[in-house]
Amino acid sequence: QVQLVESGGGLVQAGDSLRLSCAASGRTFSVYRVGWFRQAPGKEREFVAAVSWRGGATNYADSVKGRFTISGDNAKNTVYLQMNTLKPADTAVYYCAAQMIATMTYDSWGQGTQVTVSS
């Protein structure tokens, strides 16, 4: 089992930046990839970005390419999501999740952190 705790959300204005953190604990050796997802009010949860736990390969949703950067610090068991040039459309609850080697599914989820971007 892997436990995930997000932090760093808040209220910002359009054009501002935020950095979210996702701290992992527990069986982190069994993690294949860590992803960030978001869910806006009335919408389904959507993929934002992911990074390989070993190797650092990344992928992004088209809507955030060029604005968001995901990175990992294995020494700290933490994954970051640097969000620049934020837009009101980025307003959502952001969740991090761990994709496990055994199942290749996102089995562990954090509690979420709210990001609100005002225009």
Side-chain angles (χ1 to χ4, degrees), residues 35-52:
W36 284 97
F37 296 77
R38 66 187 182 186
Q39 188 167 20
K43 295 187 177 181
E44 294 187 354
R45 187 176 297 181
E46 64 175 358
F47 170 78
V48 175
V51 61
S52 297

Side-chain angles (χ1 to χ4, degrees), residues 73-90:
D73 185 336
N74 289 105
K76 297 183 178 180
N77 283 339
T78 300
V79 171
Y80 304 99
L81 185 68
Q82 177 67 43
M83 307 186 293
N84 298 329
T85 319
L86 282 162
K87 305 175 182 179
D90 296 317

Side-chain angles (χ1 to χ4, degrees), residues 52-101:
S52 297
W53 192 245
R54 301 169 185 81
T58 59
N59 58 305
Y60 297 91
D62 288 343
S63 58
V64 305
K65 279 181 182 177
R67 299 189 298 122
F68 290 11
T69 302
I70 189 170
S71 61
D73 185 336
N74 289 105
K76 297 183 178 180
N77 283 339
T78 300
V79 171
Y80 304 99
L81 185 68
Q82 177 67 43
M83 307 186 293
N84 298 329
T85 319
L86 282 162
K87 305 175 182 179
D90 296 317
T91 296
V93 177
Y94 283 71
Y95 301 88
C96 67
Q99 186 181 40
M100 311 308 289
I101 294 172

